[in-house]
Amino acid sequence: MTRFIVMRLLTIVPIMFGVSFFVFILAHLAPGDVTTTLTGPYATEETREQIRESLGLNEPLPVQYGKWLSHILQGEFGKSIANRRMVAELIFPKFANSAILALTSAAMAYVIGLFAGIFAASRPYGYFDRFTIAGTLMFGSIPPYWFGLLLVLLFSLTWRWLPATGMTKIVGGGGPIDVILHLILPTIAAGAAPAAIIARTVRATMLEILSQNYIKVARAKGIRRGVILRKHALRNALPPIATICGLQLGYLLGGVLFVEVIFAWPGIGYQLWQAIQARDIPTIQGASLIIAVAFVLVNLAVDVFNAYTDPKIRISEGVRSR
Amino acid sequence: MSDAVLKVDDLRTHFRLRAGTLKAVDGLSFELQAGRVLCIVGESGSGKSVTAQSIMRLIMPPGRIVQGGITFRDQDLLALTEREMEDLRGNRIGMIFQDPMTSLNPVFTIGEQIVETIVAHTSLSGEDARARAVELMRLVGIPEPEGRLSDYPHQFSGGMRQRVLIAIAIACEPDILIADEPTTALDVTIQAQILRLLSDVQKKLGSAMILITHDLGVVSAMADEVLVMYSGRMVEYGDVKTIFRNPRHPYTQGLLDSIIKLDDSRESELRSISGLPPIPIDPPPGCAFRDRCVKAFDLCGEQDPPWVETGTGSTAVCHAVAAEEAAP
Amino acid sequence: MTDAPSLHGESLRQRSAAELRRENLHIMWRTLTLAWHAYAKDKAAVGALIFLVIVVLIAILAPWISPHDPTEAVGTRGGLPGTDGLVLGGDMDGRDMLSRLFWGGRVSLLIGVVPTVAATAIAVVLGLFAGYVGGWVDQVVMRVLDVFFAFPLVLLAIVIAGILDPGVATLILSITVALVPYISRLVRTTTVSVKQEPYIEAARAGGATTPTILARYVLPNMLAPVIVYSTTLIGLMMVVGSGLSFLGLGIQPPDADWGTMVSDGRAVLKKAPHATAFPGFVIVIVSLAFSFVGDGLRDALDPRARVR
């Protein structure tokens, strides 16, 4: 088990190198001179020279990458072009705001997805199942930006029940009630698609598991229907369910950019969008890096969880008998 | 006969598929006496497993028991609620499946899976149930049962897993044991051991047993009665000695001709039945075997064959046999 | 020996290249008709296909069937459906919604279809190569793809498009890049599993060369799942692409696709909700139609699913 975790941790090392290299190369992909890309069009020649020096822009690409990486590893993402602040200062608080929205959305998606998926699979082709299939199809292909706007239209503009935008400060603003009110619509908008995807996966996985021989054996043993569903089937369906749940949380942690944009939620996705509009490359780099790291770590956690629940990996002594 | 533990009367189990109605079991009747062994024989797809699962009421949509009666002692199994049926399964009727490799839940220990059955059907719990599980594991020949209770299925070989599944099936000393090709997936050397074990526990518990197989050697070694199935229908049914000595249905005759006998003279050749059995999706009227039958005549393609109580003591479902019987 | 062409039995040597080709065509034709019969049984899939054909025709014929110039104000700003003689009303600048939807379909369909097709083509080559050659080549390709899997797909596309200059070409490029890893992984997995089939070994023992094996055995067996997967992706990519347009990374004003129309509608959301609702609704149903076609294809191309 420990061996598995160590091995799995080792696999993310090359991935993280690759990710950082990709983010590094972004600055070179942008059209125009790299110094302009990194310092903005109004930078003085002095600033340009400074960045050339600090990142070794006159040296070969590998050296540049090395220098850049050592900056990043010290938490130095460079300076934002748009508002002259350090990128790190800018993005970490934003990431925390995204995490709040991600967690509420994920919670909603998990509850709806799991329950709908399991109930649908327990009576395949019944009414609830058909209803679930239709729902997952609908919400699986609904564009989040459009769904968000419809929510705003109905709940904020027409009925005036909930605020659409205006969330600027999470801490020290209007208090917890205010935060919760501001969270409701974005949470629904962001959680709808993951809920549909999770429900679909849970349903498919449960149906697959329920067709296994050991389920037939459990029925032949006279185990109650509900117990088979909850104990035998769900326990075996756990790895794919955990994987899809982790994946969706990863997506949400990346800031559901569209939802953040529509509701002006001060998260990492909104920040990324603003950076893109301002062609603020250092901020784009910082934001994408932090999102990728979060995504990789969530997937790592899922793999470790799945390894822990699999007796074949947990007990790695192999086949013992004849 | 009044001491029948199980009566199956004109059982029909159909599956509604997009391609049509698959009549997996179509008109099957037999009786099982206490303590006796009935073998159901047939090729793959002849409806043997569906028969077993129909008795256990394990058929899932799109499959459905559309007609017939299944009477266990005095209970009409088809009239029971799912709850009542659950109380019966694994308790009064135990079942052993074909593939031991996939029949145990991979994430629970062997002990948990045996204990679960015991707890579900008896008043035993905790330590008592575990003690009973150990006793069962010893009974089915698993060495060092105490130590193996907390092992997972993947730590067991195929033969050992089948022993565990037998232990689960007999945990509550059932009146009927249904074994659906219990040795098909096992090594040849293990097959004999498992069959002997089944025979031993069946005798020890005094249960009746339905043994499903496609191996006529197994039939001759284990069966009291034999029922031959073909394409979802019954072909011949009766005492094993009678049928082996005097098979009446052309299909049964063909089956028995296709096995090697030790006393065969060198000149006699091994015969086989040519062709393949039809898949009974929306089958046309008439005998399903007619296209492969050496004795087929016009009537076989027009009418379903009649049940004939033969003079030799078996029941055959065949126009040709009916004609033979009618002849002076 | 008889002269009658037959699939089995006689020696392959006796048949000319032309005969072989004809036979291949015949097999392909039979496979296609079989698949079509299976597909035709799925009413939802057939309906979705007909709907998509109509949508594509409308997009192609937009210049001739649009009642108005899509970039010209012909009605009141945010006019509701029916006003000024505009069936679907006007947008925030009083331009005809219906004409804009017709024209917008051209770009929106394009950014759904082109990246998916391009990414599939690249992925088939990449995945086939990695999966068939195996060894360190496979390892390198897969590790590089892993790097892309570290980014959520939509985010990857947004970042690439955001770095480059906005426009339709950028949009197509960024979605293609983001999509390649996903399809490549499927191609590779299928290739590896097909490669291990006994019939490949048999073909190799029979003297078939690598290109022959790839073209005659591996590719056909791998193509069905890939085509099914790609078809389902088209709808999704249309949603993603429209999203990028919504963010202003795609087509630039005054031209529009369905995504930018949703975005434009925000300005008059309260006064003229139809300007947001209609284009979004169109995205949803067209995307759904692609899913239905994908599901129908899955049932049609998977011979194991055909019996049921």
Side-chain angles (χ1 to χ4, degrees), chain A residues 7-23 247 251 288 291-297 299-300 303, chain C residues 126 130 136-153 156 177-186 188-189:
Chain A
M7 293 302 285
R8 183 63 182 75
L9 272 171
L10 285 179
T11 62
I12 68 170
V13 174
I15 292 180
M16 286 328 298
F17 267 109
V19 165
S20 62
F21 183 76
F22 174 77
V23 168
L247 205 60
Y251 283 134
S288 20
I291 289 169
V293 170
F295 199 54
V296 169
L297 289 182
N299 285 329
L300 175 78
D303 277 3
Chain C
L126 204 63
W136 66 270
V137 175
D138 184 31
Q139 284 301 313
V140 169
V141 172
M142 292 328 282
R143 290 297 83 77
V144 171
L145 293 184
D146 275 346
V147 171
F148 287 92
F149 285 124
F151 295 91
L153 184 148
L156 188 61
V177 171
L179 210 48
V180 165
Y182 291 85
I183 311 177
S184 299
R185 185 167 56 178
L186 175 69
R188 182 207 166 250
T189 317

Side-chain angles (χ1 to χ4, degrees), chain C residues 28-41:
Chain C
M28 263 172 63
W29 177 246
R30 254 180 58 94
T31 314
L32 281 179
T33 42
L34 260 178
W36 169 251
H37 281 300
Y39 185 89
K41 273 189 194 157

Side-chain angles (χ1 to χ4, degrees), chain B residues 27 155 184 237 241 252:
Chain B
Q155 295 165 303
T184 309
Y237 171 48
K241 291 203 186 82
T252 320

Side-chain angles (χ1 to χ4, degrees), chain A residues 29-303:
Chain A
L29 287 177
D33 180 53
V34 185
T35 53
T36 315
T37 303
L38 292 175
T39 56
Y42 307 115
T44 57
E45 187 50 43
E46 201 184 332
T47 331
R48 286 172 199 274
E49 192 47 49
Q50 227 175 358
I51 195 102
R52 232 177 251 132
E53 181 64 27
S54 126
L55 291 178
L57 290 179
N58 295 325
E59 293 173 63
L61 218 56
V63 180
Q64 290 186 32
Y65 171 61
K67 287 203 167 182
W68 179 82
L69 190 63
S70 74
H71 282 278
I72 294 294
L73 289 176
Q74 292 161 32
E76 229 180 272
F77 290 81
K79 209 174 221 178
S80 160
I81 296 169
N83 56 11
R84 322 300 319 162
R85 286 171 62 193
M86 295 308 285
V87 170
E89 264 172 60
L90 203 63
I91 58 177
F92 282 110
K94 296 289 167 67
F95 184 70
N97 292 349
S98 277
I100 294 173
L101 179 56
L103 289 178
T104 55
S105 311
M108 173 192 128
Y110 291 176
V111 171
I112 295 177
L114 282 173
F115 277 96
I118 292 171
F119 279 125
S122 74
R123 300 224 185 268
Y125 304 106
Y127 288 109
F128 186 79
D129 188 34
R130 281 164 204 273
F131 173 75
T132 305
I133 292 173
T136 56
L137 266 175
M138 189 70 213
F139 287 102
S141 47
I142 203 164
Y145 41 94
W146 185 63
F147 185 51
L149 286 177
L150 290 189
L151 289 177
V152 170
L153 179 64
L154 290 180
F155 293 95
S156 298
L157 298 178
T158 310
W159 296 326
R160 299 182 172 282
W161 288 348
L162 292 164
T165 57
M167 186 81 255
T168 43
K169 267 193 179 155
I170 305 272
V171 184
I177 301 288
D178 186 50
V179 173
I180 290 171
L181 285 180
H182 276 96
L183 259 173
I184 294 177
L185 290 184
T187 297
I188 296 174
I197 293 164
I198 291 171
R200 187 164 24 185
T201 310
V202 169
R203 174 183 179 272
T205 311
M206 288 295 280
L207 282 181
E208 162 77 25
I209 301 278
L210 286 172
S211 71
Q212 296 291 313
N213 275 338
Y214 53 79
I215 295 297
K216 199 165 255 180
V217 172
R219 292 181 67 211
K221 280 157 76 173
I223 307 301
R224 296 254 183 263
R225 218 187 125 78
V227 177
I228 289 179
L229 203 65
R230 283 194 306 273
K231 189 175 153 193
H232 291 255
L234 195 56
R235 181 64 182 69
N236 278 284
L238 224 46
I241 293 177
T243 303
I244 194 73
C245 285
L247 205 60
Q248 295 305 317
L249 178 66
Y251 283 134
L252 290 168
L253 272 179
V256 197
L257 194 134
F258 296 114
V259 174
E260 293 189 357
V261 167
I262 283 168
F263 294 95
W265 184 263
I268 192 89
Y270 192 46
Q271 183 64 55
L272 182 64
W273 184 60
Q274 288 178 323
I276 286 173
Q277 286 190 313
R279 302 204 63 76
D280 183 353
I281 306 288
T283 308
I284 296 178
Q285 287 180 309
S288 20
L289 198 61
I290 191 173
I291 289 169
V293 170
F295 199 54
V296 169
L297 289 182
V298 170
N299 285 329
L300 175 78
V302 168
D303 277 3

Side-chain angles (χ1 to χ4, degrees), chain B residues 94-217:
Chain B
M95 185 158 175
I96 298 148
F97 291 85
Q98 216 176 87
D99 183 6
M101 298 312 280
T102 58
S103 289
L104 286 165
N105 196 323
V107 299
F108 295 117
T109 63
I110 297 300
E112 284 169 326
Q113 299 191 50
I114 302 178
V115 165
E116 186 183 36
T117 315
I118 300 169
V119 171
H121 299 299
T122 68
S123 54
L124 296 180
S125 64
E127 275 312 301
D128 295 339
R130 287 175 72 83
R132 170 73 179 141
V134 170
E135 188 188 322
L136 283 164
M137 282 165 82
R138 192 167 289 127
L139 184 70
V140 296
I142 294 170
E144 305 167 51
E146 292 90 351
R148 310 237 41 189
L149 222 46
S150 53
D151 279 356
Y152 285 90
H154 73 271
Q155 295 165 303
F156 277 66
S157 68
M160 281 297 154
R161 290 190 205 191
Q162 195 60 297
R163 287 174 193 270
V164 171
L165 286 156
I166 293 174
I168 290 173
I170 63 168
C172 304
E173 307 190 344
D175 297 323
I176 302 174
L177 203 52
I178 302 176
D180 183 1
E181 305 210 32
T183 58
T184 309
L186 299 174
D187 287 350
V188 183
T189 47
I190 313 282
Q191 289 187 359
Q193 294 175 15
I194 294 293
L195 282 174
R196 197 171 314 122
L197 173 65
L198 266 179
S199 181
D200 287 349
V201 293
Q202 180 256 333
K203 288 204 179 75
K204 191 177 268 173
L205 302 176
S207 314
M209 178 154 79
I210 297 176
L211 178 65
I212 290 171
T213 179
H214 55 251
D215 185 339
L216 289 169

